[in-house]
Structure formats: C-alpha cells, structure tokens
Amino acid sequence: MSRSSDSLADILERVLDKGVVIAGDIQVNILDIELLTLKVRLLIASVDTARDMGIDWWSSDPFLTGNSRLEQENRELRERIEQMEDRMKAAELPAGEVGSGERQPEHAVGSTSTESEARR
C-alpha cells in the first residue's frame, strides 16, 4: 500500500512539475453537415509551471481577483451620492424637495383675479 501511494505521489509531482496537455475535438455531423464542433484543450500543471509557460490568465481575471470594473463604478457612484447628500445637509435642504419639480397651483389659463372676484 505504501509503495502504490508513493508512486502515485511521484507521478502527481512529475505531472505538476512538467505539465500534461489533453486535447480533443468533438464534432456533431448530420448528413455530412457540421452542426457543432467543440475543441477541448486541457492543461494540468502547477501554478509555477504554468507561469513559466507564460500562462497566468487567473491573475487578471476580474471574477477571481475581485477587481471588476463594475464594482469600481459602483464604489465611485456611492461616493458621489454620499458627497451630494453631504452638500444637501450643509445647505439644509430636505432630500425630498430637491429636484422634485413640484409647483404651487396657478390660476386657470385666461382668468384673472378680477374675474374670479367678480364671480364670487
């Protein structure tokens, strides 16, 4: 048992040290018409070996690093909103009244104050 685990560990160490490439193509044809082709390329290697080969896509992948552009934009927008709220507080303007566009009701078009008084 000890020999087989040692040999398995040795094999795994060699594979990760040198790397292994598995390649294959899958094609789906109907009546000699190619409908689908999948090209599968798999590289199994250690991180150090992959970097030596010039492969390091994971270091700039936004999903893996957490530095996505969308997260940065959200952060910037939140900061701008906080700055605007601070300015409003400094100016003592209630948040609901700013930019609401509401006006006081005016008299109907074409009527004057003397006409409305005459009707009374």
Side-chain angles (χ1 to χ4, degrees), residues 80-101:
R80 289 178 61 190
I81 289 170
E82 287 177 13
Q83 290 172 358
M84 291 173 69
E85 288 174 346
D86 291 343
R87 288 182 198 156
M88 288 172 45
K89 287 177 186 175
E92 295 181 15
L93 296 175
E97 292 182 14
V98 176
S100 65

Side-chain angles (χ1 to χ4, degrees), residues 25-29 34 36-38:
D25 296 335
I26 301 170
Q27 290 184 337
V28 177
N29 296 332
E34 185 178 321
L36 178 68
T37 299
L38 298 175

Side-chain angles (χ1 to χ4, degrees), residues 71-111:
E71 287 179 12
Q72 181 180 358
E73 287 178 9
N74 283 341
R75 229 178 291 117
E76 290 172 0
L77 288 173
R78 285 188 184 110
E79 289 173 5
R80 289 178 61 190
I81 289 170
E82 287 177 13
Q83 290 172 358
M84 291 173 69
E85 288 174 346
D86 291 343
R87 288 182 198 156
M88 288 172 45
K89 287 177 186 175
E92 295 181 15
L93 296 175
E97 292 182 14
V98 176
S100 65
E102 294 181 21
R103 294 182 185 177
Q104 296 295 327
E106 297 178 6
H107 294 289
V109 176
S111 68

Side-chain angles (χ1 to χ4, degrees), residues 14-63:
R14 273 186 253 145
V15 165
L16 292 176
D17 185 45
K18 300 293 182 190
V20 172
V21 175
I22 301 170
D25 296 335
I26 301 170
Q27 290 184 337
V28 177
N29 296 332
I30 295 181
L31 299 174
D32 293 330
I33 298 172
E34 185 178 321
L35 298 177
L36 178 68
T37 299
L38 298 175
K39 295 187 178 277
V40 180
R41 307 293 183 258
L42 177 66
L43 169 67
I44 301 173
S46 68
V47 171
D48 294 332
T49 303
R51 281 194 179 135
D52 290 343
M53 294 178 187
I55 302 169
D56 65 347
W57 55 265
W58 57 87
S59 62
S60 61
D61 188 326
F63 183 76

Side-chain angles (χ1 to χ4, degrees), residues 63-74:
F63 183 76
L64 297 174
T65 60
N67 294 330
S68 73
R69 190 183 83 232
L70 184 59
E71 287 179 12
Q72 181 180 358
E73 287 178 9
N74 283 341

